[in-house]
Amino acid sequence: MKMNRILCLLCALMLLPLAACGVEKDSEPSPLPSETAPATIVPESKEPLPTPTPAPAFYHPLTGMPSNEDYSGRRPVAVMLNNLKTALPQQGNGQADIIYELVAEGGITRMLAVYQDPSLLGLIGSVRSARQYYWEIAEGHDAVFIHAGGSPEFYNTKNSKNLFTVDGVQGYYSSKDAGMFWRDRDRIAGRHYDFEHSLLTSGEAITDMLAQRELEEHSAGYAYEMTFADDGTPTGGSKAATVTVPFSSYKTGVFRYDVRSGLYLAEEYGDPYIDGNDNSQVSVTNLIILQTTYVVQDDAGRVKVDLSSGSGWFACGGKMVPITWEKGSASEQFHYFAEDGSPLILGRGKSYVCVIPTSRSVSVE
C-alpha cells in the first residue's frame, strides 16, 4: 500500500513539467497581426509647365515687331522709287518697313520706301527724283532722304534751308567716286531699261554713307509715335477682302487680303506688285488710305499736296474702318485716329500708306 502511494506520487511528479509546459503554451498571447507597411503615395503624373516665352528685348519702331536690337534711337532712310510701268519691277521695295505712294504728275505715282536698317538690304531702285511732299514725309520720320534730282519747289526748299539729302543727280553723291549710286540698264535679267530707269543704290552703300557722315542716330528728342498690337484687326470694321485704291486714271492699286498669312497682297497695273530682287509679291499687315487735296501748280503738271490733315480708311485683318489723320508742319509725323478720336492701333508688321486725291473713291469687296 505504501508502495502504491509512492508510485502514484512519482507519476504525479513526472506529469507536472508536462502540465506546466501546456499551461505556458496555452497562456501565450495570440500573436498580433503583422503591421501593414504604410502605403506609398505616388503623385499624379503631370505635364511639365511650359517655359514662359521671354518678353522681347525690344520692339521695332516702324513695324512693332519683336527685335533683338534697339532701333529706337537710330535714323531710318527714305528712298524715292520709280513706279512707271516701263521701269518695273522695282528692287528692294518688298523689304520696306513702310511704303508711301503718292501722285507725282500726269497721274503717275512714285513710292517713298522707308527702311529702318539698310544693312539688311540688297539692291534698291530704280531711284528717281524728289518732290516737296515726299521730303516732308521723310522729315516726319527724321529719315535720311535719298533721291535722284527733284522738282524746282523741292530744290528751293533744300537750298533755302541748307538741307542735307543724298542726291544721285546733283552734288557729291552723284559722282562715281562717292560709290553711292550707279546705273545698270540691264539690272533685271532679260530686261533692258532706258537711262532714266537705271539708277541703283544698295544697303551696303547706304550703310557706309551713314557711318561716314555719322548719321546713324536720331535727332535729339525724336521718337516715332505709333502704337502696335499683336492683332490690329479693327473692332466693328466692315469686311475688306479686296480694297481698290484709285490714284489717277493712270494708276490704281489693288490690295487682296490673304487669310492664311493675314497680309494684304499688293497689285498694280493688273499684276502683282513685285520686288525684282527675289520676285516676291509686296505684302503688308496694315493698309492706310489718306485722302487730301492735290493742286496742279505748273505747266509740267507737278502738284502741291496738302499734308496737314484729313480723313481716310484703315484696313487690317480683312476689315476696314474710317479714320482721320493729321501731320501739320513738314517736320511733324503722321498721326492716325479712330472714329472716337483715340490713336489708331496698327497690327505688328509692315504698312502701306496710299495718299489719294479727294476726288477719287475707294471701293471695297
Side-chain angles (χ1 to χ4, degrees):
M1 181 105 174
K2 186 177 180 181
M3 190 67 172
N4 286 339
R5 274 193 232 154
I6 292 171
L7 287 172
C8 288
L9 181 60
L10 287 172
C11 286
L13 289 173
M14 291 176 65
L15 290 172
L16 276 174
L18 293 175
C21 287
V23 171
E24 191 174 8
K25 182 176 181 180
D26 290 343
S27 64
E28 279 185 5
S30 300
L32 294 173
S34 60
E35 294 184 4
T36 305
T40 303
I41 300 175
V42 181
E44 292 182 11
S45 175
K46 292 184 179 180
E47 293 292 330
L49 294 174
T51 304
T53 303
F58 306 102
Y59 286 97
H60 192 289
L62 300 184
T63 66
M65 295 295 288
S67 172
N68 293 325
E69 292 191 52
D70 183 5
Y71 288 111
S72 60
R74 290 171 58 178
R75 294 183 77 178
V77 298
V79 185
M80 289 294 308
L81 296 179
N82 192 352
N83 196 43
L84 283 174
K85 293 178 186 178
T86 54
L88 298 177
Q90 298 169 356
Q91 290 169 266
N93 49 321
Q95 291 179 272
D97 297 309
I98 306 174
I99 292 176
Y100 293 92
E101 183 175 9
L102 298 89
V103 179
E105 59 269 340
I108 69 170
T109 66
R110 285 183 183 156
M111 280 77 168
L112 182 72
V114 183
Y115 305 94
Q116 181 63 64
D117 187 355
S119 69
L120 303 176
L121 308 177
L123 294 175
I124 306 168
S126 64
V127 183
R128 282 306 298 266
S129 60
R131 300 292 180 268
Q132 174 80 13
Y133 41 93
Y134 290 104
W135 166 75
E136 290 180 6
I137 295 172
E139 279 289 282
H141 284 284
D142 192 35
V144 177
F145 189 44
I146 300 173
H147 60 102
S151 65
E153 180 189 21
F154 167 72
Y155 274 122
N156 287 338
T157 299
K158 177 178 176 175
N159 294 334
S160 65
K161 294 180 177 292
N162 194 28
L163 300 174
F164 171 79
T165 68
V166 183
D167 191 344
V169 170
Q170 298 185 22
Y172 169 70
Y173 286 106
S174 64
S175 68
K176 289 185 177 180
D177 293 340
M180 184 69 200
F181 299 97
W182 59 93
R183 292 193 180 273
D184 182 357
R185 298 185 65 179
D186 300 304
R187 58 187 177 84
I188 299 291
R191 301 286 299 272
H192 185 72
Y193 294 92
D194 292 340
F195 182 80
E196 64 268 29
H197 305 323
S198 65
L199 193 66
L200 296 174
T201 185
S202 71
E204 181 180 6
I206 295 172
T207 302
D208 290 345
M209 177 272 299
L210 293 175
Q212 291 167 7
R213 300 288 304 221
E214 297 183 346
L215 294 172
E216 298 100 329
E217 300 300 318
H218 267 304
S219 303
Y222 179 87
Y224 186 53
E225 299 166 357
M226 191 61 68
T227 303
F228 296 91
D230 293 338
D231 183 359
T233 306
T235 303
S238 58
K239 183 180 178 182
T242 302
V243 184
T244 303
V245 185
F247 289 86
S248 67
S249 58
Y250 179 82
K251 166 64 198 290
T252 295
V254 177
F255 299 85
R256 301 187 192 277
Y257 184 65
D258 179 60
V259 176
R260 289 183 299 175
S261 65
L263 303 174
Y264 278 97
L265 308 182
E267 301 175 9
E268 62 175 8
Y269 308 123
D271 292 311
Y273 178 40
I274 295 297
D275 184 335
N277 283 339
D278 59 8
N279 290 320
S280 62
Q281 186 171 5
V282 173
S283 56
V284 297
T285 300
N286 306 294
L287 173 61
I288 300 168
I289 305 165
L290 311 180
Q291 281 197 307
T292 192
T293 303
Y294 281 74
V295 178
V296 177
Q297 60 181 357
D298 62 23
D299 293 340
R302 298 186 186 96
V303 295
K304 189 174 186 67
V305 182
D306 180 5
L307 294 181
S308 59
S309 63
S311 59
W313 296 269
F314 167 62
C316 182
K319 290 188 174 182
M320 190 164 79
V321 292
I323 62 170
T324 58
W325 61 273
E326 63 182 35
K327 184 180 187 299
S329 67
S331 61
E332 297 293 325
Q333 57 189 279
F334 280 113
H335 291 95
Y336 309 121
F337 303 95
E339 283 189 286
D340 62 3
S342 61
L344 188 66
I345 298 175
L346 305 187
R348 300 192 190 281
K350 298 175 180 178
S351 298
Y352 199 122
V353 182
C354 306
V355 183
I356 66 173
T358 53
S359 59
R360 298 286 166 175
S361 299
V362 175
S363 61
V364 183
E365 298 175 15

